[in-house]
Amino acid sequence: MLIVDDEEIITEGLYDVFRKMDLDLDLCKAYSGQEALEWMYRTRVDIVLSDIRMPGMGGLELMENIRKNWPHCKLIFLTGYNDFDYVYTAIQTKGVRYLLKSEGYDKIIRAVTEAITDLENSLKMDNLLQRSRENLHTLETLAQGNYFRYLLQGGNATGDLEGDFRKLSITLDPAFPVLIAIGDVKNGSLYSSFAERQEMTLAVKFLAQDFLEARTKSLGIIDRYGNLFWLIQPLHHPGMGEGDEYTRTVHFLEGQFEMIQRVCKESLDVSVVVTVGSDACEWGQLPSWYDKIRSQQHLRAGDGTEMVETVRLDITEPVSASRERPLRDRSEALTAHLEGGRKEEFLKLFDDLTQPALDVRAKGIPYLIELYYTVALVLLSYLNRWKHDDNIDANALMKYDLQASWHESFRYLRKTAESLFDFRQSSERNRAAAAIDKVRAYIAEHIAEDLSLVHLGNVIHFNPSYLSRLFKQECGVNLSDYIEEMRIEKAKELLRRNDLKIADVGSLTGYEAAHSFTRFFKKMTGVTPQEYREMQRN
């Protein structure tokens, strides 16, 4: 929720009221319409609580910009003016409420909780699922998916793209670059069949389409690993002087994919991890940039649940061009599960392949040798690609006859696979800890600057809600509480020096207004900064 008012005392007062409530809201504040607009270019905003009359950009002009950027956003306007024209214009717009400031906090709180309820109800997507099924054109979807899988595997992307797009009903423009996003769809239980997994992934694809179509042209396909792969362009291509349209679209995608994740969790009971490329990609670069984004998704911090990560493709290390293509259908499936971190599904498929062969031996020793090396090559390929070979002997992996029996040989492969999954999980936890250490170091070095969730998320390229959740998970405290503690400790340190004025101490800890610093300090310590200084002197 974004709170907007040009009167600081009102903004701070509302911020404090909602800060103390358990509404599961990330709070932001702005002191002008233009500053509010800057917030909305940087992150998704679900609710705006705004003064309707402000110098410069007023509330109604702000409303028009909100509608263009975040069409699902709910607006609550506050004013001290019982002005009919303003009221009439506001109430004519869907999703907008209008309150007088004189009506008090209780009514404002009630309006915000009602807005939250409206948002939650709008995310119950039974109607969207029905529309998705009605719009599912199977043959066209399969043809488009096959075409882009061909391009991703190095097919000719410099041929007659325009003609191909027209024949396949692809609405993207081949004359302009494209943004790339990859979504890893996960479910808490095993899928009973390939068809069910495909159906679930397609449901996510069509749900996402409803959220993305407001500001983009997009196409989602299922890639060779069973993940969703989106190609996205701004709805209106940038003209002269509008080169940041792709940047704004990336911010839009970050916000919308968070909404998509929530809908998928509530309506389909699946989680979706999304990685978005921050730069527009030329069509000829599609295979290499796709591999870069997949590589970055693999190296995510934590388990990635409900994570939206933005990858700066221009600084990402290139993926080796020598990546092996699986030779058989079964190794393709094993590779997909291993790459996707799906341990249970990998082991289930492994057992389905090996146990019948060991029990029946209908195909004899040559088949067992082929099966062993099929699995071993999948594991070795993974080891080489992700450099997880410190504790695994690659030479021993490729010698089936080192074990006493075929049962022992396949048991060795299974244990090796389990070790790889465990190592990956441990690495994710280590990367999560390293990311949080970076955030804490940044806070310590920039205690006087903007330490909002949005800004800190940009520092380590995480979406704000994921950073907030990861920080609480790693540190046991809310990020906002941690920042307040760090600021109060820094303020105490500076107050013990007699050469600084109180206002200077406030400025050095992130509070430009002296009265705001005094109010914050007294709330945290029970005494004013001046009283604390006198106590230290005594």
Side-chain angles (χ1 to χ4, degrees):
M1 182 170 78
L2 177 62
I3 301 170
V4 191
D5 200 301
D6 61 302
E7 296 184 53
E8 182 183 344
I9 191 170
I10 294 177
T11 306
E12 298 291 342
L14 289 168
Y15 183 87
D16 286 342
V17 166
F18 287 104
R19 173 82 174 77
K20 295 172 184 174
M21 299 184 66
D22 186 21
L23 292 179
D24 193 25
L25 284 173
D26 288 331
L27 295 174
C28 309
K29 48 190 175 182
Y31 303 99
S32 68
Q34 187 59 46
E35 187 179 354
L37 210 56
E38 292 172 4
W39 274 107
M40 283 181 287
Y41 286 151
R42 294 162 62 191
T43 189
R44 189 191 84 237
V45 177
D46 300 306
I47 302 172
V48 172
L49 181 60
S50 174
D51 188 5
I52 204 167
R53 283 182 180 263
M54 294 180 289
M57 180 183 294
L60 296 182
E61 185 181 353
L62 177 63
M63 178 178 70
E64 294 303 317
N65 282 285
I66 291 171
R67 283 286 168 259
K68 292 176 184 176
N69 288 279
W70 304 113
H72 295 280
C73 183
K74 305 296 182 184
L75 289 93
I76 303 170
F77 281 130
L78 304 174
T79 186
Y81 298 88
N82 195 356
D83 188 314
F84 176 78
D85 291 336
Y86 272 82
V87 174
Y88 183 79
T89 303
I91 63 176
Q92 294 303 305
T93 305
K94 184 180 178 182
V96 175
R97 290 175 171 82
Y98 178 92
L99 297 172
L100 292 172
K101 292 179 181 178
S102 58
E103 293 183 275
Y105 283 133
D106 288 343
K107 194 157 187 177
I108 295 173
I109 292 169
R110 186 159 60 250
V112 170
T113 55
E114 288 172 356
I116 294 172
T117 301
D118 288 347
L119 279 168
E120 290 173 343
N121 289 337
S122 71
L123 296 178
K124 293 176 180 177
M125 306 308 291
D126 292 343
N127 58 328
L128 284 181
L129 282 169
Q130 182 60 34
R131 286 164 56 193
S132 297
R133 294 189 184 101
E134 292 171 356
N135 292 329
L136 176 58
H137 304 295
T138 306
L139 292 177
E140 183 176 272
T141 300
L142 288 174
Q144 292 174 349
N146 287 337
Y147 177 72
F148 280 105
R149 281 189 289 272
Y150 158 75
L151 292 184
L152 291 177
Q153 292 180 35
N156 184 12
T158 59
D160 184 18
L161 286 181
E162 185 175 354
D164 290 342
F165 282 18
R166 185 171 57 255
K167 290 174 185 177
L168 295 170
S169 301
I170 296 169
T171 59
L172 299 170
D173 192 333
F176 287 87
V178 66
L179 294 166
I180 301 173
I182 295 178
D184 184 7
V185 181
K186 294 179 181 292
N187 187 282
S189 60
L190 294 176
Y191 300 113
S192 58
S193 70
F194 172 80
E196 287 185 26
R197 181 174 176 81
Q198 291 287 99
E199 182 181 12
M200 188 68 67
T201 307
L202 282 172
V204 175
K205 161 185 155 64
F206 286 111
L207 280 174
Q209 187 66 36
D210 281 75
F211 282 90
L212 300 180
E213 66 183 6
R215 278 195 58 187
T216 70
K217 292 185 291 186
S218 66
L219 178 68
I221 66 169
I222 301 175
D223 69 13
R224 63 195 298 270
Y225 299 108
N227 294 326
L228 274 169
F229 173 68
W230 285 279
L231 297 161
I232 303 162
Q233 291 175 333
L235 196 59
H236 304 290
H237 290 301
M240 295 298 292
E242 297 177 358
D244 59 348
E245 184 61 25
Y246 277 88
T247 301
R248 293 178 182 177
T249 301
V250 170
H251 292 318
F252 170 79
L253 294 176
E254 291 168 345
Q256 292 302 85
F257 276 125
E258 283 188 333
M259 299 284 284
I260 290 164
Q261 287 173 331
R262 183 173 175 182
V263 172
C264 289
K265 192 65 179 175
E266 294 181 0
S267 298
L268 303 175
D269 195 28
V270 298
S271 61
V272 186
V273 182
V274 181
T275 306
V276 182
S278 66
D279 307 285
C281 168
E282 299 296 336
W283 291 101
Q285 298 173 298
L286 204 56
S288 60
W289 284 34
Y290 162 78
D291 278 345
K292 289 179 182 180
I293 294 178
R294 283 202 69 253
S295 173
Q296 190 67 24
Q297 188 174 73
H298 180 90
L299 297 174
R300 60 182 175 249
D303 62 3
T305 303
E306 297 181 24
M307 179 181 187
V308 179
E309 183 177 20
T310 304
V311 182
R312 296 184 180 278
L313 294 175
D314 54 339
I315 61 172
T316 306
E317 288 296 323
V319 176
S320 171
S322 63
R323 178 175 294 181
E324 293 287 344
R325 298 289 180 186
L327 301 177
R328 300 175 58 111
D329 290 343
R330 57 196 167 191
S331 68
E332 177 90 16
L334 286 170
T335 299
H337 295 324
L338 185 58
E339 294 277 352
R342 297 187 287 269
K343 180 178 180 180
E344 311 261 333
E345 291 171 278
F346 180 98
L347 295 178
K348 182 178 184 301
L349 178 56
F350 177 90
D351 292 340
D352 289 344
L353 286 170
T354 59
Q355 288 176 1
L358 291 169
D359 292 341
V360 180
R361 298 199 180 186
K363 296 185 180 180
I365 299 299
Y367 175 76
L368 291 176
I369 294 174
E370 180 185 1
L371 180 58
Y372 180 93
Y373 282 121
T374 295
V375 179
L377 283 170
V378 169
L379 300 178
L380 182 63
S381 176
Y382 184 88
L383 284 170
N384 290 337
R385 190 174 301 121
W386 303 113
K387 309 301 181 187
H388 293 339
D389 55 357
D390 292 346
N391 301 314
I392 296 174
D393 186 345
N395 290 325
L397 185 64
M398 299 310 295
K399 295 178 180 179
Y400 73 89
D401 53 355
L402 285 182
Q403 310 301 324
S405 67
W406 281 110
H407 283 278
E408 290 297 323
S409 295
F410 284 109
R411 188 176 294 116
Y412 169 71
L413 287 182
R414 200 179 195 279
K415 287 183 178 180
T416 300
E418 289 175 338
S419 297
L420 288 175
F421 282 109
D422 293 343
F423 182 84
R424 175 171 177 167
Q425 186 177 25
S426 173
S427 298
E428 288 172 350
R429 288 196 297 268
N430 292 339
R431 283 191 290 272
I436 295 307
D437 286 344
K438 183 177 180 181
V439 171
R440 293 170 67 169
Y442 184 89
I443 291 170
E445 294 173 9
H446 301 82
I447 198 70
E449 301 172 18
D450 176 15
L451 296 178
S452 63
L453 262 177
V454 173
H455 182 73
L456 291 175
N458 288 337
V459 169
I460 58 172
H461 314 303
F462 289 175
N463 58 304
S465 57
Y466 183 74
L467 171 58
S468 177
R469 188 164 51 252
L470 187 64
F471 192 94
K472 178 68 176 291
Q473 177 183 310
E474 291 293 315
C475 301
V477 297
N478 291 325
L479 179 55
S480 56
D481 293 337
Y482 177 82
I483 293 170
E484 286 188 349
E485 290 174 9
M486 293 302 98
R487 281 184 160 147
I488 207 68
E489 290 304 314
K490 184 65 175 179
K492 287 179 178 179
E493 175 191 331
L494 296 173
L495 285 169
R496 287 193 287 268
R497 294 167 47 183
N498 293 323
D499 59 325
L500 291 172
K501 296 179 180 178
I502 299 296
D504 294 336
V505 174
S507 179
L508 290 171
T509 51
Y511 291 85
E512 292 298 330
H515 63 273
S516 295
F517 170 61
T518 299
R519 185 171 61 247
F520 158 74
F521 192 90
K522 187 169 184 179
K523 181 183 75 171
M524 296 293 289
T525 65
V527 296
T528 66
Q530 186 60 45
E531 290 169 342
Y532 178 84
R533 174 170 277 176
E534 292 298 329
M535 290 165 57
Q536 294 302 308
R537 287 174 180 167
N538 293 335

